[in-house]
Amino acid sequence: RKEVEQDPGPFNVPEGATVAFNCTYSNSASQSFFWYRQDCRKEPKLLMSVYSSGNEDGRFTAQLNRASQYISLLIRDSKLSDSATYLCVVNDNFNKFYFGSGTKLNVKP
Amino acid sequence: EPEVTQTPSHQVTQMGQEVILRCVPISNHLYFYWYRQILGQKVEFLVSFYNNEISEKSEIFDDQFSVERPDGSNFTLKIRSTKLEDSAMYFCASSDPQQPQQETQYFGPGTRLLVL
């Protein structure tokens, strides 16, 4: 059983496109949710936390659907610098964090 | 901006040897974590640590692993008898003490361990 599942991609999109990623999680008791980005051979960096009401940060919008146990990330007006692997992260009830395998995004000129 | 640091950046060791990976978390953080990422695979949780004891650990974190906070700044991961399959990138992270389950984890740049 995978705690967190993501489509590995890659998603190849032109600059300026809108792209969406989904992630599903298995533990209905999970407490908090995050999107991280990871560049090749680098450490994960927090992109945004995901709140029940949904939240937006510039070109990025995150949504949480607890009933269906999925999280989404929408990137508008893609930039070349958005090319990275996007990691869905779920925290269960106990200070233990589960990472998805990541979705690779390639933004092309 | 405060950051998590890790040393060494790369470590090569012989199978069966002991290695110690070092981390300096952000100074006012009290929750610390170790993760590993085997090349081409996902980031895997190893252990979380709070108040000088292990808070949670995964199935991967067996008896060959141990963690320690030997002083006020360092947080170490020891692998007692390394195996080939321990070759991976090891990330340390820390988080704010007030809301560890909600708050951002800050990751260090990682130590790439190669076991020969």
Side-chain angles (χ1 to χ4, degrees):
Chain A
R1 184 195 73 166
K2 290 185 179 179
E3 289 84 7
V4 181
E5 294 207 49
Q6 296 182 249
D7 180 345
F11 285 59
N12 298 307
V13 303
E15 271 187 289
T18 295
V19 62
F21 307 135
N22 289 329
C23 161
T24 58
Y25 59 95
S26 60
N27 184 358
S28 59
S30 296
Q31 293 295 303
S32 51
F33 311 89
F34 309 88
W35 283 103
Y36 278 73
R37 71 170 275 167
Q38 186 175 30
D39 295 290
C40 189
R41 296 178 178 268
K42 299 284 190 182
E43 73 273 25
K45 291 189 176 175
L46 179 74
L47 185 63
M48 56 199 308
S49 302
V50 187
Y51 303 119
S52 297
S53 55
N55 47 303
E56 187 174 309
D57 182 4
R59 298 181 294 108
F60 300 86
T61 301
Q63 297 279 351
L64 168 63
N65 185 321
R66 283 191 184 271
S68 301
Q69 294 178 211
Y70 81 79
I71 307 144
S72 64
L73 177 68
L74 182 77
I75 306 175
R76 289 180 297 278
D77 188 23
S78 301
K79 312 287 185 196
L80 295 176
S81 57
D82 293 334
S83 297
T85 297
Y86 289 82
L87 309 177
C88 176
V89 182
V90 174
N91 173 245
D92 72 6
N93 209 23
F94 303 101
N95 210 18
K96 187 186 282 190
F97 293 80
Y98 295 97
F99 281 69
S101 300
T103 298
K104 189 169 173 58
L105 173 65
N106 295 317
V107 181
K108 303 199 181 289
Chain B
E1 184 179 318
E3 58 183 21
V4 176
T5 59
Q6 289 185 243
T7 54
S9 59
H10 295 78
Q11 173 102 42
V12 181
T13 191
Q14 294 290 326
M15 189 171 59
Q17 294 296 305
E18 175 183 287
V19 295
I20 297 176
L21 310 183
R22 292 182 167 78
C23 169
V24 179
I26 294 173
S27 61
N28 67 329
H29 287 185
L30 294 179
Y31 285 81
F32 314 119
Y33 311 85
W34 281 104
Y35 294 87
R36 79 172 185 191
Q37 188 174 29
I38 295 169
L39 190 63
Q41 297 187 25
K42 67 179 181 180
V43 175
E44 298 175 290
F45 171 83
L46 292 178
V47 65
S48 57
F49 189 87
Y50 171 71
N51 200 25
N52 284 320
E53 61 182 23
I54 290 173
S55 175
E56 290 290 332
K57 60 181 181 178
S58 71
E59 303 77 24
I60 302 167
F61 194 87
D62 61 22
D63 291 343
Q64 69 162 151
F65 292 94
S66 62
V67 289
E68 195 178 27
R69 188 151 163 83
D71 53 43
S73 60
N74 289 286
F75 179 51
T76 62
L77 174 70
K78 182 190 290 186
I79 309 175
R80 253 179 282 283
S81 177
T82 50
K83 305 179 189 126
L84 297 177
E85 54 265 36
D86 293 328
S87 295
M89 179 74 96
Y90 288 81
F91 292 110
C92 172
S94 68
S95 65
D96 185 277
Q98 293 193 353
Q99 289 183 307
Q101 292 180 354
Q102 296 291 331
E103 201 47 70
T104 305
Q105 287 186 64
Y106 293 87
F107 281 76
T111 294
R112 186 166 295 283
L113 176 66
L114 178 61
V115 182
L116 300 176

